[in-house]
Amino acid sequence: MSDTLQFVNFGFHPLLMEGIEASGYETATPVQQQVIPPILAGKDVIASAQTGTGKTAAFLLPVMNKLLENHVDGQVGALIIVPTRELAIQIAQHIEGLSYFTHLSSIAIYGGNDAQNFVAEKKALQLGADIIVCTPGRMIAHLNMGYVNMKGLRFLILDEADRMLDMGFQDDISRIIRALPEKRQNLLFSATMPDKIRQLARKILHDPAEVNIAISKPPDKIVQQAFVVYEPQKLQLIKRILKGTSYKNALIFCSRKQTVKQLARELKQLRFNVAEIHSDLEQAERENVLAAFAGGRIPVMVATDILSRGIDIDTIDLVINYDVPGDGEDYVHRIGRTARAEATGLAYTLVGEKEQNKFAAIEK
Ligand code: AMP
């Protein structure tokens, strides 16, 4: 398959193409390249893909395209079930952006006590909306009132299915599915594929196309170590690492720019030759400090995640995570700044007492 499949190759409706362009998407991401064709071909799909891969547009675009090409008024066309209201809101925003130039209607149905929302939700469930995004609990509340009409439903999408099972929504999902017509296209997305997801898939999907988007892995030649410490010990530990390790360029990541500024200040007081980089610097200043760092005049750089992607300085042989990055993907990007080209590298992560769960998730 081509690495650079363009959206024009999918033959999407022109009004949908306008939404794609307005969203700033140029090439399809790997999950989109693999998932869109089978969905367009009418197949059920099971895909393991994490947040950040472009998975939302991977199911929204082909479903929207089919709803546009074969539009029926007055019914619910697609139902997307998600674990949390945050995700429901996020997907609703995606729908709004991508469908901006079309006449497709959509609504997000999630918990909360807003009576006005409830009335709008009820109306959509009775009279139809092209796409409904819902959390299980809220949908059950509506189902219990007896007016939900899903007769024309053509697409069922379960997003972050593993999280839904972890949150105990299995029965709610079954209950919702019983209210749907049997003949429909089913799409299941999950970050992980434990057995219980496979079992769920066997119940819901028919002869699905299977797509696996591999999770990024750091190169083997990076030696990785983690230290579990109390927050106030981190500065001393960094000092010891910098004194006790031989390196050409050391890059220290902090998640917040306030921490970057403070740590750079403290290291300067300890007489290390340090520069800092974060979003408060002008572009020209950033370029200057980067050049000084790459040229070896300043051997230590403290940075936010703005430096975790894209910079390619092959003398970086030590990366220190002053704090635990947001997720596995960020971690891989951060430590991937070392051991560029043929070199080897060292990556240390300082795990504060409150960061242990987050680090455990990254290790997994
Ligand atoms: P998701 O994995 O669905 O949460 O998407 C992650 C982010 O990638 C979102 O901000 C999307 O708007 C963006 N995105 C999705 N598809 C593309 C694409 N083909 N090109 C650029 N950005 C994209």
Side-chain angles (χ1 to χ4, degrees), residues 66-270:
K66 282 170 166 262
L67 290 171
L68 273 174
E69 291 196 328
N70 209 338
H71 194 260
V72 187
D73 269 332
Q75 57 187 34
V76 177
L79 180 67
I80 306 170
I81 310 180
V82 303
T84 61
R85 70 164 88 176
E86 288 73 25
L87 186 59
I89 294 168
Q90 197 182 307
I91 294 178
Q93 286 166 349
H94 255 84
I95 298 172
E96 235 168 77
L98 293 170
S99 70
Y100 188 80
F101 299 95
T102 74
H103 55 267
L104 292 177
S105 59
S106 62
I107 185 169
I109 295 183
Y110 50 84
N113 301 320
D114 191 324
Q116 221 176 346
N117 279 354
F118 203 88
V119 172
E121 293 170 11
K122 177 178 173 186
K123 194 167 151 222
L125 289 165
Q126 274 179 314
L127 306 178
D130 292 306
I131 308 175
I132 289 184
V133 192
C134 72
T135 52
R138 183 70 157 200
M139 189 66 194
I140 297 283
H142 283 288
L143 277 172
N144 286 341
M145 315 277 262
Y147 46 68
V148 173
N149 173 12
M150 290 282 166
K151 275 199 201 89
L153 187 98
R154 290 155 63 195
F155 304 94
L156 169 68
I157 298 125
L158 302 181
D159 192 20
E160 302 204 351
D162 49 354
R163 233 167 120 199
M164 289 205 276
L165 294 194
D166 287 345
M167 290 169 75
F169 287 139
Q170 170 112 38
D171 290 345
D172 286 352
I173 292 171
S174 303
R175 166 84 207 284
I176 295 168
I177 290 177
R178 281 201 299 278
L180 309 180
E182 267 184 38
K183 196 169 166 308
R184 47 166 211 265
Q185 194 175 349
N186 302 290
L187 314 173
L188 185 153
F189 284 74
S190 189
T192 57
M193 281 292 155
D195 273 348
K196 56 185 181 179
I197 291 289
R198 302 243 164 234
Q199 283 164 20
L200 178 73
R202 273 195 289 278
K203 278 191 221 155
I204 299 174
L205 307 176
H206 301 285
D207 185 26
E210 203 169 323
V211 170
N212 288 302
I213 294 302
I215 298 169
S216 317
K217 259 180 54 187
D220 291 337
K221 57 191 179 172
I222 303 176
V223 177
Q224 305 170 54
Q225 276 188 35
F227 299 95
V228 179
V229 291
Y230 291 107
E231 213 54 45
Q233 298 175 313
K234 285 186 171 180
L235 177 63
Q236 280 309 315
L237 184 54
I238 295 226
K239 180 180 155 192
R240 276 186 33 205
I241 293 172
L242 290 177
K243 291 225 147 130
T245 318
S246 71
Y247 56 86
K248 283 195 195 122
N249 277 121
L251 180 54
I252 307 174
F253 282 111
C254 308
S255 297
R256 300 172 52 231
K257 69 180 165 211
Q258 286 316 329
T259 322
V260 169
K261 292 178 185 174
Q262 190 187 335
L263 180 63
R265 197 164 49 237
E266 286 168 343
L267 288 173
K268 277 176 198 160
Q269 280 164 3
L270 291 169

Side-chain angles (χ1 to χ4, degrees), residues 7 24-29 32 50-57 90 94:
F7 286 105
Y25 302 173
E26 284 168 7
T27 46
T29 65
Q32 290 163 1
Q50 295 179 316
T51 302
T53 54
K55 68 180 168 71
T56 314
Q90 197 182 307
H94 255 84

Side-chain angles (χ1 to χ4, degrees), residues 318-336:
L318 174 62
V319 166
I320 303 173
N321 292 316
Y322 180 82
D323 45 32
V324 175
D327 57 33
E329 207 59 39
D330 287 343
Y331 176 81
V332 169
H333 281 290
R334 280 188 183 188
I335 73 167

